DNA sequence: TCGGCTATGATACTTGGTCTCAGAGAGGCG
DNA sequence: CGCCTCTCTGAGACCAAGTATCATAGCCGA
């Protein structure tokens, strides 16, 4: 549990960036999380792992990992930004479950027809769209168990 | 040019909130803007209009107007939040032109089929989705005038 | 193993808001 | 119209989420 996965490490290298102990810690924490982490939350987790790692490094690392296509941001309800380790390559979108916090990837191919239609209907060329959609995943929704009867999900 | 439109004023009242000179100034500035205003930008404009109006009031007013369904937030590219006076009633979405900064409304009905499809394909119940899509409007895109030949649009 | 170039930490600064609390004033009611 | 209540306001402290600077540390290709 001391290092990030080889997959992540090789993607950092592939993006022409260096592997450092700090990046390893941060990538590992994101990899271990089952949901997007907020900035403060992540900084706290990093500090717990190694208090010598500075805040600036956390944000720099997030930026580096984002450039490498490893990390994505989702804007959590409430307006905060969540940081998320992404397996899927290339541009895609996110379904965030408000129950368990889990994230599902939506491939660009699934939204493309919708965007093409918008372009026609509004005479507008779409340059950039990135969706984060909130809701409830199948596991959290049931099956058959009404919402009110379920125990409070992890926050 | 000293007051916001009656439409805006009556919608504030309809939401059970009071009309104050401060709110009038802020609503009027948003109404006059042809594009979303950033926080700093709006605060500066408010201060120019009446320097006694405090920052807290600006943000409180934005929150009040948002609750009244008059103001919407869009996240501008670059991450900043833009505040925007909305004519359209009810939940809807926004197309932001990167050329002129103008905003077009997309009715919920236009995105609903897309969301229904996502729900089926991902076994996920969508509770909340709010899209801001960046691109180029028809006026900024042409007609026939290539992008490189156009003069720099308003920032 | 060495050296260049990238990454880091400390720290100060900035942006975009929120909180508190005493005081002002909007507007419903008589 | 004038009062009273309840909302709204301003000042200013506070906070979260970054960003800028710069000297130092250390990754990794040769
Ligand atoms: Mn993803
Ligand atoms: Mn709108
Ligand atoms: Zn779930
Ligand atoms: Zn335009």
């Amino acid at each position: 549990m001391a290092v990030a996965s080889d997959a992540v490490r090789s993607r950092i290298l592939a993006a022409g960036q260096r592997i450092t102990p700090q990046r390893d810690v941060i990538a590992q924490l994101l990899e271990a999380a089952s949901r997007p982490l907020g900035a403060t939350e992540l900084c706290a987790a990093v500090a717990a792992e190694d208090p010598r790692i500075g805040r600036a490094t956390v944000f720099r690392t997030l930026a580096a990992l984002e450039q490498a296509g490893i990390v994505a941001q989702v804007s959590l309800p409430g307006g905060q930004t969540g940081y998320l380790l992404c397996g899927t390559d290339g541009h895609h979108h996110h379904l965030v479950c408000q129950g368990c916090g889990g994230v599902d990837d939506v491939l660009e191919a699934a939204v493309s027809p919708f965007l093409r239609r918008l372009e026609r209907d509004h005479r507008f060329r779409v340059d950039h769209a990135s969706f984060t959609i909130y809701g409830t995943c199948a596991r959290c929704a049931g099956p058959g168990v009404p919402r009110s009867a379920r125990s409070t999900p992890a926050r």
Side-chain angles (χ1 to χ4, degrees), chain A residues 48-62:
Chain A
E49 202 76 13
D50 182 346
R52 291 167 307 175
I53 298 178
R55 273 169 45 80
T57 295
V58 174
F59 286 105
R60 278 187 297 231
T61 297
L62 287 172

Side-chain angles (χ1 to χ4, degrees), chain A residues 70 72 74 84-90 92-94 103-106:
Chain A
I70 297 170
V74 296
L84 173 68
L85 200 116
C86 262
T88 306
D89 268 335
H92 62 277
H93 307 267
H94 293 111
V103 174
D104 197 1
D105 286 346
V106 178

Side-chain angles (χ1 to χ4, degrees), chain A residues 5-89:
Chain A
S5 73
D6 281 349
V8 167
R9 295 164 65 94
S10 59
R11 287 174 76 183
I12 294 175
L13 290 173
Q17 315 208 68
R18 293 184 180 172
I19 296 193
T20 66
Q22 294 88 343
R23 289 180 178 186
D24 214 26
V25 165
I26 293 162
Q28 168 213 329
L29 285 169
L30 289 172
E31 208 163 12
S34 59
R35 58 187 178 78
L37 298 180
T40 307
E41 197 172 16
L42 178 57
C43 285
V46 167
E49 202 76 13
D50 182 346
R52 291 167 307 175
I53 298 178
R55 273 169 45 80
T57 295
V58 174
F59 286 105
R60 278 187 297 231
T61 297
L62 287 172
L65 294 181
E66 191 173 1
Q67 262 205 263
I70 297 170
V71 158
Q73 301 186 11
V74 296
S75 72
L76 300 176
Q80 302 143 38
T81 301
Y83 297 92
L84 173 68
L85 200 116
C86 262
T88 306
D89 268 335

